[in-house]
Amino acid sequence: MFAAYAARIDRDQPLNGLELGDRPAPGDRPGWTTINVKAASLNHHDLWSLRGVGLSEDRLPMILGCDAAGVDADGNEVVLHSVIGQSGHGVGPDEPRSILTEKYQGTFAEQVAVPTWNVLRKPKELSFEEAACLPTAWLTAYRMIFTNAGVRPGDSLLVQGAGGGVATAAIVLGKAAGLRVFATSRDEAKRKRAVDLGAVDAFEPGARLPQRVDAVIETVGAATWSHSVKSLRPGGTVVISGATSGDRPSHAELTRIFFLELKVVGSTMGTKDELEDLLSFCAATGVRPVIDEVLPLDRAREGFEKMASGELFGKIVLTGS
Ligand SMILES: NC(=O)c1ccc[n+]([C@@H]2O[C@H](COP(=O)([O-])OP(=O)(O)OC[C@H]3O[C@@H](n4cnc5c(N)ncnc54)[C@H](OP(=O)(O)O)[C@@H]3O)[C@@H](O)[C@H]2O)c1
């Protein structure tokens, strides 16, 4: 079957390791379901994989892609939860948690297999392209805001790096949940789009906000860390799930963290329950993922290049040709 996969690890030029071509279709495995992929979406995770973060040479070649929506063998329209081993279903109780593409082949292919427990019904209100955006970036944003940020309607939220998949999700979900959302972006056009999505206002990275916020959604890392900490009200929470610009900020702001009793909360992906709730939330509220571009799978390289350059706003979706 046709697939986009990591053939080599290249830490400096990750796209050198990306190949498009024929890979074996998934075989039958008890307790697992094969899905015919209709749409899959790109995440920064796929670039990290090509750099060897979370993916070792001995696991290559590895089909990339953590997210997908498609059709199962019975014709059901489904979405997959890409955290494998969290529950033991389909892999046994002792297997540690992994995300698709770390151990098991991913979704940038005509077919993908996951434990049957990881298969959820796609709400009819969502297209395959929309549903394919939800299992990683949107689920991560959902858990960051609703499980880990400690906010409630009326509270304020800062979202760093407005153009990213997690960031656009956080702006849209935060607005829909009645939060007062501020955003930052390096790019003026993206700042305007963040406001169009529902942010009260958007600023250049590092700018002083009109108020201190209750929580910050942090995925940029080193480049914005200091600003995130300085933007919090006393007792506020910075939730971090990524470090696109590196994980060694020049100033960790330790004094401010203890003196103002700030909370730093790590967050990774989300549970199957949270994904079910996110699907219902989108179906019930009319909230839809922000899609930058839909490309056929055989043009996956263009999507990877766009993500590597940071010149995207929202999700890149790959569809079967
Ligand atoms: N822990 C988890 O479960 C989990 C899940 C999903 C994602 N993540 C991580 O979260 C991060 C974002 O993921 P994503 O898929 O949303 O990625 P993405 O779409 O590629 O987001 C990148 C965004 O980061 C912003 N950015 C700001 N300063 C940057 C800099 N100096 N260098 C590069 N980018 C900069 C950019 O926003 P502007 O151009 O608007 O400034 C850009 O749009 C990644 O590191 C990813 O690995 C973690």
Short mmCIF file of all heavy atoms in Angstrom, two decimals, residues 273-304:
data_model
loop_
_atom_site.label_atom_id
_atom_site.label_comp_id
_atom_site.label_asym_id
_atom_site.label_seq_id
_atom_site.Cartn_x
_atom_site.Cartn_y
_atom_site.Cartn_z
N ASP A 273 -11.47 8.77 27.03
CA ASP A 273 -12.66 9.49 27.50
C ASP A 273 -12.62 10.95 27.08
O ASP A 273 -13.63 11.53 26.68
CB ASP A 273 -12.74 9.46 29.04
CG ASP A 273 -13.33 8.17 29.54
OD1 ASP A 273 -13.74 7.36 28.70
OD2 ASP A 273 -13.35 7.97 30.77
N GLU A 274 -11.44 11.56 27.21
CA GLU A 274 -11.32 12.97 26.82
C GLU A 274 -11.53 13.13 25.31
O GLU A 274 -12.15 14.11 24.86
CB GLU A 274 -9.95 13.52 27.24
CG GLU A 274 -9.87 13.75 28.75
CD GLU A 274 -8.46 13.99 29.27
OE1 GLU A 274 -7.49 13.47 28.68
OE2 GLU A 274 -8.33 14.65 30.31
N LEU A 275 -11.05 12.16 24.51
CA LEU A 275 -11.27 12.26 23.06
C LEU A 275 -12.76 12.12 22.75
O LEU A 275 -13.29 12.84 21.89
CB LEU A 275 -10.44 11.19 22.32
CG LEU A 275 -10.58 11.19 20.81
CD1 LEU A 275 -10.25 12.56 20.19
CD2 LEU A 275 -9.67 10.11 20.18
N GLU A 276 -13.44 11.21 23.46
CA GLU A 276 -14.90 11.08 23.26
C GLU A 276 -15.60 12.40 23.59
O GLU A 276 -16.48 12.85 22.86
CB GLU A 276 -15.46 9.95 24.14
CG GLU A 276 -15.45 8.64 23.39
CD GLU A 276 -15.70 7.43 24.29
OE1 GLU A 276 -15.74 7.56 25.54
OE2 GLU A 276 -15.85 6.34 23.72
N ASP A 277 -15.18 13.02 24.68
CA ASP A 277 -15.79 14.30 25.08
C ASP A 277 -15.47 15.39 24.06
O ASP A 277 -16.32 16.23 23.76
CB ASP A 277 -15.30 14.72 26.48
CG ASP A 277 -15.90 13.84 27.58
OD1 ASP A 277 -16.85 13.09 27.28
OD2 ASP A 277 -15.40 13.90 28.71
N LEU A 278 -14.27 15.39 23.54
CA LEU A 278 -13.90 16.39 22.53
C LEU A 278 -14.74 16.22 21.27
O LEU A 278 -15.23 17.20 20.69
CB LEU A 278 -12.40 16.26 22.20
CG LEU A 278 -11.89 17.05 21.00
CD1 LEU A 278 -12.10 18.56 21.20
CD2 LEU A 278 -10.40 16.76 20.77
N LEU A 279 -14.94 14.97 20.85
CA LEU A 279 -15.78 14.71 19.66
C LEU A 279 -17.20 15.23 19.90
O LEU A 279 -17.80 15.88 19.04
CB LEU A 279 -15.79 13.21 19.34
CG LEU A 279 -14.48 12.64 18.78
CD1 LEU A 279 -14.44 11.12 18.91
CD2 LEU A 279 -14.27 13.04 17.33
N SER A 280 -17.75 14.95 21.11
CA SER A 280 -19.10 15.44 21.42
C SER A 280 -19.13 16.95 21.48
O SER A 280 -20.09 17.59 21.05
CB SER A 280 -19.61 14.98 22.76
OG SER A 280 -19.46 13.71 22.98
N PHE A 281 -18.09 17.53 22.07
CA PHE A 281 -18.02 18.99 22.20
C PHE A 281 -18.10 19.63 20.82
O PHE A 281 -18.86 20.57 20.59
CB PHE A 281 -16.69 19.36 22.88
CG PHE A 281 -16.53 20.82 23.24
CD1 PHE A 281 -16.88 21.28 24.50
CD2 PHE A 281 -15.99 21.72 22.33
CE1 PHE A 281 -16.71 22.62 24.84
CE2 PHE A 281 -15.83 23.06 22.66
CZ PHE A 281 -16.18 23.51 23.93
N CYS A 282 -17.33 19.09 19.87
CA CYS A 282 -17.32 19.65 18.51
C CYS A 282 -18.69 19.45 17.86
O CYS A 282 -19.23 20.37 17.22
CB CYS A 282 -16.23 19.00 17.66
SG CYS A 282 -14.58 19.46 18.18
N ALA A 283 -19.25 18.24 18.02
CA ALA A 283 -20.54 17.97 17.39
C ALA A 283 -21.63 18.87 17.97
O ALA A 283 -22.47 19.41 17.24
CB ALA A 283 -20.91 16.50 17.59
N ALA A 284 -21.58 19.09 19.29
CA ALA A 284 -22.66 19.84 19.95
C ALA A 284 -22.54 21.35 19.76
O ALA A 284 -23.54 22.05 19.67
CB ALA A 284 -22.66 19.52 21.45
N THR A 285 -21.32 21.87 19.72
CA THR A 285 -21.15 23.33 19.70
C THR A 285 -20.96 23.89 18.30
O THR A 285 -21.02 25.10 18.12
CB THR A 285 -19.90 23.73 20.52
OG1 THR A 285 -18.76 23.08 19.94
CG2 THR A 285 -20.03 23.37 21.98
N GLY A 286 -20.66 23.04 17.34
CA GLY A 286 -20.34 23.56 16.00
C GLY A 286 -18.87 23.96 15.86
O GLY A 286 -18.44 24.39 14.80
N VAL A 287 -18.10 23.80 16.95
CA VAL A 287 -16.65 24.06 16.87
C VAL A 287 -16.01 23.08 15.88
O VAL A 287 -16.32 21.89 15.91
CB VAL A 287 -16.02 23.91 18.28
CG1 VAL A 287 -14.53 23.62 18.19
CG2 VAL A 287 -16.28 25.15 19.10
N ARG A 288 -15.16 23.61 15.02
CA ARG A 288 -14.48 22.75 14.04
C ARG A 288 -12.98 23.04 14.02
O ARG A 288 -12.58 24.20 14.20
CB ARG A 288 -15.03 23.00 12.62
CG ARG A 288 -16.49 22.60 12.44
CD ARG A 288 -16.67 21.08 12.51
NE ARG A 288 -18.06 20.69 12.37
CZ ARG A 288 -18.94 20.55 13.38
NH1 ARG A 288 -18.56 20.76 14.63
NH2 ARG A 288 -20.18 20.20 13.14
N PRO A 289 -12.17 22.02 13.78
CA PRO A 289 -10.73 22.23 13.70
C PRO A 289 -10.36 23.26 12.63
O PRO A 289 -11.03 23.36 11.60
CB PRO A 289 -10.18 20.86 13.34
CG PRO A 289 -11.22 19.91 13.77
CD PRO A 289 -12.53 20.60 13.61
N VAL A 290 -9.31 23.99 12.89
CA VAL A 290 -8.79 24.96 11.93
C VAL A 290 -7.85 24.22 10.99
O VAL A 290 -6.84 23.66 11.43
CB VAL A 290 -8.03 26.08 12.66
CG1 VAL A 290 -7.56 27.13 11.67
CG2 VAL A 290 -8.90 26.69 13.75
N ILE A 291 -8.22 24.18 9.71
CA ILE A 291 -7.42 23.43 8.74
C ILE A 291 -6.68 24.41 7.84
O ILE A 291 -7.27 25.27 7.20
CB ILE A 291 -8.33 22.49 7.90
CG1 ILE A 291 -8.94 21.43 8.82
CG2 ILE A 291 -7.53 21.84 6.77
CD1 ILE A 291 -9.90 20.47 8.15
N ASP A 292 -5.36 24.30 7.84
CA ASP A 292 -4.54 25.17 6.99
C ASP A 292 -4.65 24.72 5.53
O ASP A 292 -4.86 25.53 4.64
CB ASP A 292 -3.07 25.10 7.46
CG ASP A 292 -2.15 25.93 6.61
OD1 ASP A 292 -1.70 25.45 5.54
OD2 ASP A 292 -1.88 27.07 6.98
N GLU A 293 -4.53 23.42 5.31
CA GLU A 293 -4.53 22.91 3.94
C GLU A 293 -4.84 21.41 3.93
O GLU A 293 -4.43 20.69 4.83
CB GLU A 293 -3.13 23.14 3.33
CG GLU A 293 -3.09 22.96 1.83
CD GLU A 293 -1.75 23.36 1.22
OE1 GLU A 293 -0.77 23.57 1.97
OE2 GLU A 293 -1.69 23.43 -0.02
N VAL A 294 -5.57 20.99 2.90
CA VAL A 294 -5.80 19.56 2.68
C VAL A 294 -4.99 19.15 1.45
O VAL A 294 -5.12 19.77 0.39
CB VAL A 294 -7.30 19.25 2.44
CG1 VAL A 294 -7.50 17.76 2.18
CG2 VAL A 294 -8.14 19.70 3.64
N LEU A 295 -4.14 18.14 1.59
CA LEU A 295 -3.29 17.68 0.49
C LEU A 295 -3.50 16.20 0.27
O LEU A 295 -3.72 15.46 1.24
CB LEU A 295 -1.81 17.87 0.86
CG LEU A 295 -1.25 19.29 0.97
CD1 LEU A 295 0.12 19.25 1.63
CD2 LEU A 295 -1.16 19.91 -0.42
N PRO A 296 -3.40 15.73 -0.99
CA PRO A 296 -3.40 14.28 -1.17
C PRO A 296 -2.13 13.67 -0.57
O PRO A 296 -1.09 14.35 -0.52
CB PRO A 296 -3.42 14.11 -2.69
CG PRO A 296 -2.98 15.41 -3.25
CD PRO A 296 -3.26 16.47 -2.24
N LEU A 297 -2.24 12.43 -0.10
CA LEU A 297 -1.12 11.78 0.59
C LEU A 297 0.17 11.81 -0.26
O LEU A 297 1.27 11.94 0.29
CB LEU A 297 -1.51 10.34 0.92
CG LEU A 297 -0.50 9.48 1.65
CD1 LEU A 297 -0.07 10.13 2.96
CD2 LEU A 297 -1.07 8.08 1.91
N ASP A 298 0.03 11.73 -1.59
CA ASP A 298 1.25 11.70 -2.40
C ASP A 298 1.95 13.08 -2.46
O ASP A 298 3.04 13.19 -3.01
CB ASP A 298 1.00 11.14 -3.81
CG ASP A 298 -0.06 11.91 -4.57
OD1 ASP A 298 -0.47 12.98 -4.10
OD2 ASP A 298 -0.48 11.43 -5.64
N ARG A 299 1.32 14.11 -1.84
CA ARG A 299 2.00 15.41 -1.71
C ARG A 299 2.35 15.71 -0.25
O ARG A 299 2.48 16.86 0.16
CB ARG A 299 1.11 16.52 -2.30
CG ARG A 299 1.03 16.45 -3.83
CD ARG A 299 0.03 17.44 -4.39
NE ARG A 299 0.29 18.81 -4.01
CZ ARG A 299 -0.61 19.80 -4.11
NH1 ARG A 299 -1.82 19.56 -4.60
NH2 ARG A 299 -0.29 21.02 -3.76
N ALA A 300 2.52 14.63 0.53
CA ALA A 300 2.80 14.79 1.97
C ALA A 300 4.05 15.64 2.21
O ALA A 300 4.11 16.41 3.18
CB ALA A 300 2.98 13.43 2.62
N ARG A 301 5.04 15.52 1.33
CA ARG A 301 6.30 16.26 1.54
C ARG A 301 6.04 17.78 1.64
O ARG A 301 6.66 18.46 2.46
CB ARG A 301 7.29 15.96 0.42
CG ARG A 301 8.65 16.61 0.61
CD ARG A 301 9.64 16.13 -0.43
NE ARG A 301 9.98 14.73 -0.26
CZ ARG A 301 10.89 14.28 0.61
NH1 ARG A 301 11.55 15.13 1.35
NH2 ARG A 301 11.13 12.99 0.74
N GLU A 302 5.10 18.28 0.83
CA GLU A 302 4.79 19.72 0.89
C GLU A 302 4.28 20.10 2.27
O GLU A 302 4.58 21.18 2.79
CB GLU A 302 3.72 20.09 -0.15
CG GLU A 302 4.20 20.02 -1.57
CD GLU A 302 3.04 20.16 -2.55
OE1 GLU A 302 2.18 21.04 -2.35
OE2 GLU A 302 2.99 19.36 -3.51
N GLY A 303 3.45 19.23 2.82
CA GLY A 303 2.92 19.50 4.16
C GLY A 303 4.02 19.51 5.21
O GLY A 303 4.06 20.38 6.08
N PHE A 304 4.93 18.54 5.11
CA PHE A 304 6.05 18.48 6.07
C PHE A 304 6.92 19.75 5.94
O PHE A 304 7.38 20.30 6.94
CB PHE A 304 6.93 17.25 5.80
CG PHE A 304 6.44 16.01 6.48
CD1 PHE A 304 5.49 15.21 5.90
CD2 PHE A 304 6.96 15.63 7.71
CE1 PHE A 304 5.04 14.04 6.52
CE2 PHE A 304 6.52 14.48 8.35
CZ PHE A 304 5.57 13.69 7.75
#
